[in-house]
Amino acid sequence: MYKKILLFIVIIILSNFFISCSINDQKIENIDINTVDLDSISIIDGIDKYEDYESEKSIENRDPIIEKINSMTLDEKIGQMFIMGMDGYYVDDFTNAMIEDYHIGGIILFGRNIRDSNQLLELTNSLNEVNNKIPLFISIDEEGGRVSRMPKEVLNIPSCREIGKKNDAMYAFEVGSTIGMKIKSLGLNMNFAPVLDIDSNPQNPVIGDRSFGGDDEIVSKMGMEVMKGLRSENIISVVKHFPGHGDTSVDSHIGLPRIDKDLESILQFEIIPFKKAIENHVDGIMIAHILFSRIDPDNPASLSKIIITDLLREELDYNGVVITDDMTMGAILENYAIVDASVQAIMAGADIILLSHGNENKVNAIKGIKEAVVNNKISMERVDESVYRILKLKEKYHI
């Protein structure tokens, strides 16, 4: 019985072989088995094609920003992590050196830099001409109301408090887009606005009508619309002052404010507008110089890893650019050396150090960061992480 089954299988195999031979008869006749080079069998061509495919796929998936970072010097990387103020109405030798030799990533303009619209446009054009490798953030504080840097001939915008009282989303959006249109027409690309602080302390000497109000819902709603309005004009909106400056009784321009609230308390109030901004893909968040004594008793928010990395980055899942408030404000200079503060801010997770005043402060801060990297106090990975976010934001807005 087994012999019969085996014979049947052999017959089937032989039948298939002869059928195959008759079909491919012509091909078989032309092959000399003795001359076949087994090493040249087409699997080699297949591997080559696979390698070519993988190479092409690798090129397609290559991140040009990472390639850019890999081509940058340490000085160029560190420079991108600074936005600095300047003196006067025109690009002077020091500002020129900051851009060309120290490779700073941006400039912030104040009233001291703005005389009229023609001069401002000439200044922004000059800044772009000086910097021809990586474009600059050219930034301003244009909140509306009493915080306005615009030339006098440009009609001022209502304060945030007036916008909050209207509680009209369309109106808030139009205000944002109007501010955006104005500053874009004068050559700027970044605005440190809107203010998302909730004005909950009547003794607050610095926020007041810069806030949309004392209600977290109104601040969130109006703030988001102003932010969207700015972005509609291709202006980067940097909201401020995280985690919230509304319940302070000290002006951080002068001294270091302290807030005695725990994390749960600020999550349920102060942070609500910032959380809403993150949900709406905000591009930049400015960190306040405020000591939250029950969250980090040793460091103000701008220097606190607990607040920047643990809270903002990890708990709130924010992946955008983090900018410190001006490091030459009293809250910092009265309590820290500028180099120590700058290094600590980067170690805490900040991407950009804002320095508005003092040429010596600016040079020392840059050199201090470089020394910290060289001495492995700040890792190159930490630097590259920030530079990636900065270049990504510049690419997004075609700066």
Side-chain angles (χ1 to χ4, degrees):
M1 181 67 181
Y2 290 115
K3 290 182 180 179
K4 289 182 180 180
I5 293 172
L6 181 61
L7 180 62
F8 179 72
I9 291 171
V10 170
I11 291 170
I12 290 174
I13 292 172
L14 289 173
S15 298
N16 286 335
F17 173 77
F18 287 120
I19 290 170
S20 175
C21 286
S22 67
I23 291 172
N24 296 291
D25 188 39
Q26 187 63 40
K27 293 181 181 178
I28 292 175
E29 285 180 2
N30 294 332
I31 296 177
D32 182 353
I33 191 67
N34 295 316
T35 63
V36 173
D37 180 3
L38 295 180
D39 290 334
S40 68
I41 291 177
S42 61
I43 189 170
I44 303 300
D45 293 333
I47 291 172
D48 288 341
K49 289 176 182 177
Y50 175 76
E51 288 177 346
D52 289 342
Y53 166 74
E54 285 296 300
S55 177
E56 289 174 9
K57 189 169 74 171
S58 175
I59 291 170
E60 288 174 2
N61 294 336
R62 198 174 292 159
D63 189 333
I65 295 178
I66 292 177
E67 290 187 346
K68 177 69 175 175
I69 291 171
N70 290 338
S71 73
M72 293 168 69
T73 66
L74 177 58
D75 288 334
E76 288 171 336
K77 291 177 181 180
I78 291 172
Q80 285 300 303
M81 299 169 74
F82 284 88
I83 292 178
M84 296 185 175
M86 57 173 284
D87 295 324
Y89 298 133
Y90 304 100
V91 179
D92 60 10
D93 291 341
F94 181 82
T95 301
N96 190 84
M98 284 290 101
I99 297 170
E100 290 196 336
D101 300 334
Y102 289 90
H103 316 287
I104 63 170
I107 293 286
I108 181 170
L109 299 179
F110 294 95
R112 66 177 186 261
N113 308 120
I114 300 169
R115 183 176 59 207
D116 55 46
S117 297
N118 290 333
Q119 171 271 324
L120 176 54
L121 185 57
E122 184 179 342
L123 173 58
T124 56
N125 286 337
S126 296
L127 288 168
N128 284 320
E129 288 170 6
V130 173
N131 186 73
N132 55 15
K133 189 169 184 181
I134 299 177
L136 293 165
F137 290 129
I138 304 181
S139 62
I140 197 167
D141 288 303
E142 188 59 29
E143 302 171 10
R146 60 189 165 101
V147 180
S148 174
R149 318 297 189 200
M150 286 288 97
K152 291 180 181 179
E153 65 268 25
V154 177
L155 186 65
N156 198 9
I157 296 294
S159 70
C160 290
R161 178 58 49 81
E162 293 177 62
I163 298 168
K165 285 179 178 178
K166 285 184 178 293
N167 196 18
D168 182 327
M170 182 62 72
Y171 178 73
F173 180 89
E174 289 298 327
V175 168
S177 63
T178 300
I179 293 174
M181 179 182 63
K182 287 179 178 181
I183 64 178
K184 181 175 71 174
S185 69
L186 293 168
L188 297 118
N189 51 45
M190 175 183 278
N191 190 16
F192 293 114
V195 170
L196 295 187
D197 305 315
I198 304 170
D199 186 33
S200 58
N201 185 345
Q203 303 303 315
N204 194 316
V206 66
I207 299 301
D209 64 356
R210 296 172 63 192
S211 168
F212 293 103
D215 181 86
D216 62 270
E217 289 187 11
I218 289 177
V219 172
S220 298
K221 179 182 174 184
M222 297 297 98
M224 292 313 95
E225 294 305 318
V226 171
M227 181 184 80
K228 291 174 185 177
L230 285 166
R231 293 196 310 208
S232 73
E233 293 294 332
N234 207 47
I235 295 296
I236 299 166
S237 170
V238 180
V239 300
K240 57 190 184 185
H241 308 80
F242 185 86
H245 209 316
D247 193 19
T248 59
S249 55
V250 173
D251 183 348
S252 54
H253 291 87
I254 300 169
L256 179 62
R258 297 172 183 266
I259 293 181
D260 186 33
K261 288 185 176 180
D262 60 20
L263 179 58
E264 189 61 32
S265 297
I266 67 168
L267 282 170
Q268 293 178 4
F269 191 62
E270 279 87 353
I271 284 179
I272 289 174
F274 294 98
K275 188 175 181 181
K276 194 70 175 177
I278 293 167
E279 292 170 358
N280 282 273
H281 313 293
V282 64
D283 291 305
I285 295 179
M286 176 179 281
I287 308 295
H289 301 315
I290 301 173
L291 185 72
F292 288 82
S293 56
R294 295 177 66 184
I295 299 171
D296 185 343
D298 301 317
N299 305 293
S302 52
L303 311 185
S304 172
K305 186 176 183 294
I306 294 172
I307 289 177
I308 298 176
T309 297
D310 299 346
L311 174 57
L312 181 57
R313 293 286 189 208
E314 295 178 6
E315 185 160 349
L316 298 181
D317 196 25
Y318 174 63
N319 297 312
V321 171
V322 168
I323 305 176
T324 70
D325 206 342
D326 178 14
M327 299 291 271
T328 60
M329 290 164 61
I332 298 299
L333 289 187
E334 293 297 319
N335 298 281
Y336 301 88
I338 195 70
V339 170
D340 295 340
S342 298
V343 168
Q344 190 171 334
I346 298 299
M347 291 175 64
D351 299 308
I352 295 177
I353 302 294
L354 180 62
L355 283 166
S356 299
H357 308 281
N359 292 349
E360 187 177 352
N361 289 329
K362 298 167 189 175
V363 173
N364 288 343
I366 289 179
K367 289 182 176 179
I369 296 294
K370 183 176 181 179
E371 184 178 353
V373 175
V374 170
N375 293 332
N376 297 317
K377 189 172 184 179
I378 296 175
S379 70
M380 186 59 74
E381 182 182 18
R382 173 77 273 281
V383 171
D384 287 348
E385 179 186 315
S386 287
V387 175
Y388 186 90
R389 291 192 190 101
I390 292 162
L391 298 186
K392 188 76 172 176
L393 184 55
K394 289 185 175 184
E395 179 191 67
K396 178 180 178 180
Y397 282 84
H398 309 291
I399 292 173

